[in-house]
Amino acid sequence: MTIQTDTPFNLKRRDFANDFVWGCSTSAYQIEGAIAEGGRVESIWDKFAAQPGNIRDGSSGAQACDHYRRWPEDLDIGKELGLNAYRFSISWPRIFSGVGTSQNEAGLDFYSRMVDGMLERGLDPWVTLYHWDLPQYLQEQGGWANRATVDAFVAFTDAVSRRLGDRVKNWITHNEPWCTAMHGNLDGVHAPGLKDFGTALQVCHHVLLSHGLSVPVIRANVPDAKVGIALSLHHLRPATESQDDIDAMFRHDGLRNRWFLDPLYGRGYPADVLQLCGDAAPVIHPADMDAIAVPLDFLGVNYYFPEVVKNDPDNLPLRSRVIAFPDCERTAFGWEVSPEGMTALLQRIQRDYHPGIIYITENGSTYDDVVNEDGAIDDVQRKNYLIRHLHAMRDAIGHGVNVKGYFAWSLLDNFEWAEGYLRRFGLTYVNFQTQKRTVKLSGRWYRDFLNHR
Ligand code: FCB
């Protein structure tokens, strides 16, 4: 079921604090293209996309939005929308071409120029260090399952934060460790395409450890740094009110949400989940959990959809299953639309973890865009998704949750991982044949909202 109501414009920028951060998010592999330029080496996504069957439309990020060349035009769009911040990620294979090699100045120069371009346009740069494009040479040595990758990440963090830290103050170590670990190594739908639970949990642990060990490095290199991590978190509901389903939801929550939040906030991995993991549990060195629990300046929350969970004794190890709840409003991806889920999730995070400051580091939707005869894209559903989630965020703030900023996913349509170019999430339409950009109705709404005084 798709509800197509038009949402009234009764939300004002002044409903939010004057210093509220308003941005858009992107990531390197999804927009840059230029995979062989400036000394960049292969990433796990180049390799994964080259294997037939992995990407739905057989595409890759080789061209993407050609942002590597067109970034000035794209930052102009950000400025035109009235953003005061822009979240982007650094392509690790542009910075180091091997283990122990010297840093690639051409790669660092590219990001340095782009950061200058942001500042010239009034966009505060927010760097994500890892948004899934691991260098392939590291995967060949075991990738994130190999503890040595943690050291390589710390060296990468050091190089980037030294170079950009005079201008970049907001740092996100990792984007969505759950996806890195589980999509990449358990269900195999993302690079590197492995399917092993033990590997996924070890990857997860090393990703979190690399986060913990990088935070002090960033702080040492960057005066006044604000450092956090962006997690994909989900509001959960039980399929029925039965105790079995409620218990199943708790177990699912254990791996989906608590597995990340608990260690980051000093509680270690949840004991109930560790027990269910059995032999698949990760190898943990004595000082690891303390390192992971390094205090953060903020928590980044990526919120897209809630999940409904059912008891399923056959589905090991969690004995639970996510079901498609009937009659829900959904995006074209099938993701349930639930602004209330966002409010509830934010309240829950505040109540259970007291993260201090929260930023919504991603939120957005995909629908099948239609280009009108006059070239306009009137994406009413995406616009409504945006408005309703801003309302939900305002509700959470009204309930005392300290949300200080919002980043829409995404500035541009882009390479949507395993879906290729079949899923458009942009506030700006990209014609991937001509590379022409057209701000959609949703983007025009965001612009009017941000420029309304
Ligand atoms: C998030 C990812 C982002 C994009 C959106 C739709 O999980 O962080 O790169 O794919 O989903």
Side-chain angles (χ1 to χ4, degrees):
M1 179 178 63
T2 304
I3 300 171
Q4 294 216 21
T5 51
D6 206 2
T7 309
F9 189 160
N10 63 354
L11 190 76
K12 299 274 187 292
R13 183 177 180 163
R14 64 169 179 270
D15 297 343
F16 298 86
N18 280 336
D19 61 352
F20 204 81
V21 174
W22 294 105
C24 280
S25 285
T26 62
S27 88
Y29 189 73
Q30 294 181 274
I31 63 171
E32 286 178 0
I35 54 171
E37 303 287 319
R40 181 189 180 279
V41 296
E42 190 181 35
S43 84
I44 56 172
W45 273 93
D46 301 308
K47 174 104 180 169
F48 183 74
Q51 287 154 20
N54 282 344
I55 311 296
R56 266 227 296 153
D57 59 1
S59 68
S60 76
Q63 311 289 329
C65 308
D66 194 27
H67 177 77
Y68 186 78
R69 291 183 193 80
R70 294 170 195 262
W71 63 262
E73 177 187 352
D74 295 336
L75 297 186
D76 284 346
I77 295 171
K79 179 181 177 183
E80 179 197 324
L81 295 185
L83 311 181
N84 58 21
Y86 175 63
R87 174 177 174 238
F88 64 106
S89 79
I90 310 285
S91 165
W92 187 349
R94 288 196 192 284
I95 310 300
F96 282 101
S97 57
V99 179
T101 60
S102 53
Q103 62 195 36
N104 175 17
E105 296 301 333
L108 288 166
D109 287 347
F110 166 65
Y111 291 108
S112 182
R113 281 194 302 275
M114 204 155 66
V115 163
D116 285 341
M118 290 171 210
L119 293 170
E120 281 161 19
R121 291 167 178 81
L123 306 172
D124 196 16
W126 284 59
V127 160
T128 306
L129 286 160
Y130 188 77
H131 201 128
W132 306 354
D133 47 353
L134 187 74
Q136 177 61 26
Y137 61 81
L138 288 174
Q139 189 58 44
E140 273 151 29
Q141 294 172 21
W144 283 109
N146 177 358
R147 199 172 163 103
T149 296
V150 174
D151 301 328
F153 181 76
V154 174
F156 164 61
T157 300
D158 186 43
V160 176
S161 56
R162 273 176 199 272
R163 184 61 190 276
L164 304 182
D166 55 338
R167 288 154 291 155
V168 175
K169 300 300 166 191
N170 294 289
W171 294 82
I172 292 168
T173 54
H174 278 272
N175 181 69
E176 302 189 349
W178 187 93
C179 289
T180 302
M182 305 302 169
H183 280 336
N185 300 276
L186 176 60
D187 53 43
V189 298
H190 281 184
L194 305 179
K195 294 186 180 170
D196 181 72
F197 189 45
T199 304
L201 291 181
Q202 194 63 58
V203 163
C204 207
H205 180 65
H206 288 156
V207 165
L208 288 174
L209 180 62
S210 77
H211 155 82
L213 294 176
S214 305
V215 173
V217 172
I218 298 170
R219 289 193 174 133
N221 291 342
V222 184
D224 314 321
K226 302 280 184 241
V227 194
I229 187 168
L231 301 180
S232 48
L233 298 171
H234 297 264
H235 173 63
L236 305 178
R237 306 195 299 276
T240 69
E241 288 308 315
S242 76
Q243 196 56 45
D244 280 352
D245 285 344
I246 292 170
D247 291 346
M249 179 185 77
F250 182 73
R251 292 192 297 275
H252 182 76
D253 182 59
L255 199 57
R256 201 66 159 131
N257 298 318
R258 289 183 285 126
W259 191 257
F260 302 88
L261 289 164
D262 280 14
L264 288 168
Y265 291 97
R267 300 178 198 170
Y269 291 115
D272 59 312
V273 186
L274 264 182
Q275 203 182 2
L276 291 167
C277 293
D279 292 346
V283 175
I284 302 171
H285 293 195
D288 290 0
M289 299 319 290
D290 283 347
I292 292 172
V294 58
L296 297 179
D297 296 297
F298 63 86
L299 175 68
V301 175
N302 291 3
Y303 175 80
Y304 288 92
F305 58 91
E307 285 178 336
V308 180
V309 188
K310 196 168 175 40
N311 184 42
D312 182 352
D314 299 328
N315 197 22
L316 298 174
L318 296 182
R319 294 182 279 109
S320 63
R321 185 161 48 87
V322 173
I323 60 158
F325 201 68
D327 296 331
C328 291
E329 183 185 351
R330 294 180 188 283
T331 68
F333 221 149
W335 293 355
E336 183 180 337
V337 178
S338 174
E340 318 75 57
M342 178 193 244
T343 311
L345 174 70
L346 290 170
Q347 288 185 271
R348 182 260 172 120
I349 295 168
Q350 174 84 7
R351 187 189 64 226
D352 291 354
Y353 297 97
H354 313 289
I357 295 174
I358 294 177
Y359 293 98
I360 303 296
T361 36
E362 283 180 31
N363 172 241
S365 59
T366 182
Y367 293 100
D368 297 330
D369 290 328
V370 178
V371 183
N372 298 343
E373 277 170 20
D374 60 1
I377 298 93
D378 291 333
D379 56 336
V380 175
Q381 292 168 303
R382 188 179 291 101
K383 181 190 100 175
N384 286 338
Y385 182 100
L386 171 62
I387 297 175
R388 289 160 65 194
H389 284 79
L390 293 184
H391 271 281
M393 181 173 71
R394 189 182 61 177
D395 289 348
I397 295 169
H399 289 116
V401 184
N402 195 16
V403 184
K404 305 267 287 177
Y406 176 90
F407 293 82
W409 184 270
S410 179
L411 179 65
L412 306 168
D413 292 336
N414 57 46
F415 174 76
E416 177 47 39
W417 308 115
E419 299 286 307
Y421 297 97
L422 300 175
R423 301 289 179 210
R424 294 175 176 274
F425 276 88
L427 301 185
T428 306
Y429 186 90
V430 176
N431 177 321
F432 291 105
Q433 265 73 53
T434 63
Q435 291 295 346
K436 182 171 186 285
R437 277 76 163 134
T438 308
V439 176
K440 303 176 193 176
L441 176 66
S442 54
R444 288 180 269 134
W445 182 87
Y446 200 34
R447 180 194 65 201
D448 292 347
F449 166 79
L450 292 177
N451 289 312
H452 187 86
R453 301 283 175 187

